[in-house]
């Protein structure tokens, strides 16, 4: 059982529905079934990330345009991936990528991947978030920290990814005490290498720690050699069924 640093008052009994955050499938030409499944009626998707070529690429991609159009028609929120490189990447480069995503794929928001976590970097992230909010009408913004950041980041975006990594770490992970001050819909957990026999346990951990957006997969990174997010999990139908009917304690 994971250790919790605080009791999340009422989080286990709220009506918040758990949903999927797709961290970025492979290119639609390589993973047509994966992208197609996102438009299946009733699939509980909170958002899906489009990463054309480590960002929006240098020109419109017809396969990504088609996939984006299908998701838009189905009412699925599509987010463009912006790599901040832990705060090292320049502000103009990030904003330029964001504009191409908007112009070419009409995304509904952005994930700031590899987002900094330290207090000293918060002003720079706030500046970036302010600029992104001014570029579109009500864009959905997710800060992809992958771990718990300085609490001030929670005031800067719609959601924070506070865990991204393997099941071996997740099953013993802790929820930072300050997260109890925010509702579950503000947090995302992305976990790979989750065995099918531990799916219920993983869902309970997310529930207990107060994360309403999740992505669990049995795909692995094979020591960093493969992308565990590139394909749907082997238990796709099962997880869609479990989440679609709610997660119980």
């Amino acid at each position: 059982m994971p250790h919790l640093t605080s009791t999340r008052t009422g989080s286990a009994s709220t009506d918040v529905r758990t949903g999927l955050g797709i961290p970025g499938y492979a290119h639609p030409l390589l993973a047509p079934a994966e992208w197609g499944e996102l438009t299946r009626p009733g699939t509980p998707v909170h958002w899906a990330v489009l990463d054309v070529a480590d960002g929006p690429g240098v020109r419109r991609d017809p396969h990504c345009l088609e996939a984006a159009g299908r998701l838009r028609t189905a009412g699925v929120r599509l987010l463009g991936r912006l790599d901040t490189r832990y705060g090292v990447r320049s502000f103009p480069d990030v904003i330029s990528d964001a504009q191409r995503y908007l112009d070419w794929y009409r995304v509904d928001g952005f994930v700031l991947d590899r987002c900094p976590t330290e207090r000293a970097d918060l002003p720079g992230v706030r500046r970036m978030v302010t600029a992104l909010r001014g570029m579109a009408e009500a864009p959905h913004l997710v800060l992809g920290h992958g771990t718990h950041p300085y609490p001030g980041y929670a005031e800067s975006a719609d959601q924070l990814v506070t865990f991204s990594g393997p099941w071996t770490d997740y099953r013993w992970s802790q929820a930072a005490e300050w997260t109890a001050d925010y509702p579950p819909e503000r947090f995302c957990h992305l976990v790979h290498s989750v065995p099918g026999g531990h799916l219920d346990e993983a869902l309970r951990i997310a529930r207990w720690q107060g994360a309403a957006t999740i992505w669990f997969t049995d795909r692995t990174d094979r020591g960093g050699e493969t992308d565990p997010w590139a394909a749907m999990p082997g238990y796709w139908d099962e997880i869609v069924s479990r989440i679609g009917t709610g997660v119980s304690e």
Side-chain angles (χ1 to χ4, degrees), residues 128-196:
M128 197 170 294
V129 166
T130 299
L132 293 172
R133 291 204 186 281
M135 295 171 67
E137 183 178 353
H140 188 79
L141 300 181
V142 180
L143 301 184
H145 304 288
T147 188
H148 290 94
Y150 173 72
Y153 283 92
E155 302 300 326
S156 298
D158 298 292
Q159 291 184 296
L160 309 181
V161 177
T162 53
F163 185 92
S164 180
W167 165 247
T168 51
D169 292 340
Y170 187 63
R171 69 183 309 186
W172 306 114
S173 63
Q174 302 182 61
E177 186 173 357
W178 62 264
T179 63
D181 295 332
Y182 297 89
E185 57 264 30
R186 298 295 302 281
F187 301 105
C188 317
H189 291 171
L190 312 175
V191 191
H192 64 77
S193 310
V194 182

Side-chain angles (χ1 to χ4, degrees), residues 52-88:
V52 181
D54 196 22
V58 296
R59 61 181 62 85
R60 290 180 178 87
D61 183 300
H63 302 287
C64 292
L65 278 170
E66 183 180 356
R70 287 198 302 266
L71 293 182
R72 188 162 48 248
T73 299
V76 177
R77 178 184 282 153
L78 184 65
L79 307 180
R81 176 182 176 267
L82 301 174
D83 188 359
T84 72
R85 297 177 190 166
Y86 304 108
V88 173

Side-chain angles (χ1 to χ4, degrees), residues 29-249:
L29 188 61
L30 301 176
E34 280 80 352
W35 287 96
E37 278 294 310
L38 299 184
T39 62
R40 187 171 70 178
T43 304
V45 180
H46 285 173
W47 43 257
V49 175
L50 177 65
D51 186 9
V52 181
D54 196 22
V58 296
R59 61 181 62 85
R60 290 180 178 87
D61 183 300
H63 302 287
C64 292
L65 278 170
E66 183 180 356
R70 287 198 302 266
L71 293 182
R72 188 162 48 248
T73 299
V76 177
R77 178 184 282 153
L78 184 65
L79 307 180
R81 176 182 176 267
L82 301 174
D83 188 359
T84 72
R85 297 177 190 166
Y86 304 108
V88 173
R89 193 157 181 242
S90 74
F91 177 86
D93 284 349
V94 173
I95 298 304
S96 177
D97 275 2
Q99 191 62 61
R100 289 200 293 273
Y101 269 121
L102 290 168
D103 292 344
W104 295 346
Y105 304 108
R106 295 170 57 188
V107 295
D108 304 298
F110 305 97
V111 169
L112 278 65
D113 198 20
R114 297 200 289 179
C115 190
T117 61
E118 300 300 322
R119 182 175 184 174
D121 295 306
L122 180 55
V125 173
R126 281 178 173 165
R127 179 190 177 209
M128 197 170 294
V129 166
T130 299
L132 293 172
R133 291 204 186 281
M135 295 171 67
E137 183 178 353
H140 188 79
L141 300 181
V142 180
L143 301 184
H145 304 288
T147 188
H148 290 94
Y150 173 72
Y153 283 92
E155 302 300 326
S156 298
D158 298 292
Q159 291 184 296
L160 309 181
V161 177
T162 53
F163 185 92
S164 180
W167 165 247
T168 51
D169 292 340
Y170 187 63
R171 69 183 309 186
W172 306 114
S173 63
Q174 302 182 61
E177 186 173 357
W178 62 264
T179 63
D181 295 332
Y182 297 89
E185 57 264 30
R186 298 295 302 281
F187 301 105
C188 317
H189 291 171
L190 312 175
V191 191
H192 64 77
S193 310
V194 182
H198 290 276
L199 183 56
D200 279 340
E201 182 183 355
L203 289 169
R204 284 195 296 270
I205 291 172
R207 186 77 165 179
W208 294 338
Q209 293 195 16
T213 301
I214 59 97
W215 181 246
F216 297 149
T217 179
D218 51 356
R219 310 294 180 181
T220 69
D221 63 1
R222 297 183 182 178
E225 296 181 358
T226 61
D227 181 0
W229 318 123
M232 71 178 75
Y235 40 66
W236 169 257
D237 288 336
E238 182 179 359
I239 195 169
V240 167
S241 176
R242 298 280 184 89
I243 295 176
T245 56
V247 182
S248 60
E249 276 297 300

